Amino acid sequence: MAGSKDRPTLTSVWKATYATARRAGDMRSDTKTEILELLCQKVRVMSAEQIAREFFGDSEHSKTKALNLVRGLETQGYVTTKRVSVRQIESAGAPLFAWEPGQSDLPNFRAIAAANRRRWNGELHPTTVVFPTEKANRRFGSGKLRVVRRQELEHDLLAANVYFSLALEEKRNWANEDALEKSAFGNRRPDAVLFRGGVSVIEVAGRSYSAEKLEAIFTHFKAYSLRFH
């Protein structure tokens, strides 16, 4: 159990990348580089729809532009793609639940689990999912590239939406699970952490998360600010 509020540590390889990104401030690189940096440093996967929305806005041909960009990166060996049918939550929106240490009211985990099931009840939709390759990771990454399993795709796409929903300063301070030392938080790393003075824990509730699983997560991280998305 994470009873201590010791500051969790980033992996040694990731520290230099994190420091460089912090120094970069508002400076934005070209779109291809920025997408590869996100895939190797901040999120595990992105969909073509997410790339279209975040990088090409609401233009008439944003999806086409996104797919063309992805195909170019795939030809260069920086990404692979997979066409899959998944349930997607288009917008991260407000957290399912937010907790601050010292709150008197404990979460109603059954109600949170029920709300989570309802939002995952949508239909399956085909989408193109984009994965970084070892080549991309060697150039833009911060450690060993994690292989995302098929059953994790919906969860990891929602995690990307949570990242995209953040303000710029929070995005700078976001470190995903793979950037944390394996021993962080008592050997149970959260989906992401925001380093902003203190430590805020981000957990993304997948489609199958039960009330019992949510409660176990809460019990482990309740010494920290915590948001279930």
Side-chain angles (χ1 to χ4, degrees):
M1 180 176 168
S4 168
K5 293 195 67 172
D6 292 340
R7 188 179 179 88
T9 56
L10 300 167
T11 63
S12 57
V13 179
W14 205 87
K15 286 177 183 175
T17 306
Y18 179 74
T20 301
R22 290 284 295 161
R23 287 195 299 271
D26 291 337
M27 294 176 62
R28 295 174 68 87
S29 59
D30 67 275
T31 302
K32 287 184 179 180
T33 299
E34 189 169 357
I35 287 171
L36 292 172
E37 287 174 345
L38 287 177
L39 285 169
C40 294
Q41 299 173 21
K42 298 289 189 178
V43 301
R44 290 174 174 167
V45 295
M46 283 191 278
S47 69
E49 289 82 1
Q50 287 172 329
I51 292 172
R53 183 188 69 220
E54 297 298 327
F55 293 93
F56 297 101
D58 297 324
S59 68
E60 181 181 355
H61 303 294
S62 60
K63 181 73 176 294
T64 300
K65 291 177 181 177
L67 286 171
N68 287 340
L69 182 147
V70 167
R71 291 190 189 105
L73 290 174
E74 192 166 22
T75 299
Q76 293 175 297
Y78 285 113
V79 302
T80 59
T81 61
K82 185 178 292 186
R83 189 73 174 168
V84 296
S85 291
V86 294
R87 291 178 176 87
Q88 288 195 75
I89 298 174
E90 294 301 327
S91 174
L96 289 168
F97 178 78
W99 165 265
E100 292 292 336
Q103 275 184 224
S104 57
D105 296 332
L106 292 176
N108 182 334
F109 297 106
R110 295 199 179 281
I112 297 171
N116 185 51
R117 284 194 301 272
R118 286 194 296 272
R119 68 178 185 161
W120 285 109
N121 277 341
E123 296 181 1
L124 291 168
H125 293 283
T127 188
T128 299
V129 181
V130 184
F131 306 80
T133 62
E134 289 289 353
K135 178 180 177 179
N137 192 54
R138 285 193 298 272
R139 181 169 177 182
F140 301 101
S142 53
K144 185 177 180 180
L145 182 66
R146 189 185 186 284
V147 177
V148 177
R149 294 171 293 181
R150 173 65 180 82
Q151 62 268 32
E152 297 172 324
L153 284 178
E154 290 177 337
H155 173 277
D156 288 350
L157 287 170
L158 177 54
N161 266 343
V162 173
Y163 171 82
F164 287 129
S165 74
L166 299 177
L168 179 60
E169 186 63 23
E170 289 184 314
K171 288 178 179 177
R172 290 177 185 154
N173 293 318
W174 165 288
N176 74 357
E177 175 183 348
D178 303 328
L180 299 170
E181 294 282 4
K182 289 185 177 180
S183 60
F185 295 99
N187 298 307
R188 182 172 183 168
R189 295 173 295 177
D191 290 318
V193 168
L194 294 178
F195 292 102
R196 47 180 184 181
V199 173
S200 295
V201 169
I202 305 292
E203 277 289 336
V204 176
R207 180 153 47 105
S208 63
Y209 278 37
S210 64
E212 290 74 21
K213 181 167 185 174
L214 292 169
E215 184 172 7
I217 293 170
F218 170 79
T219 299
H220 190 82
F221 294 113
K222 66 182 180 180
Y224 299 90
S225 295
L226 172 63
R227 294 182 348 213
F228 283 118
H229 279 274

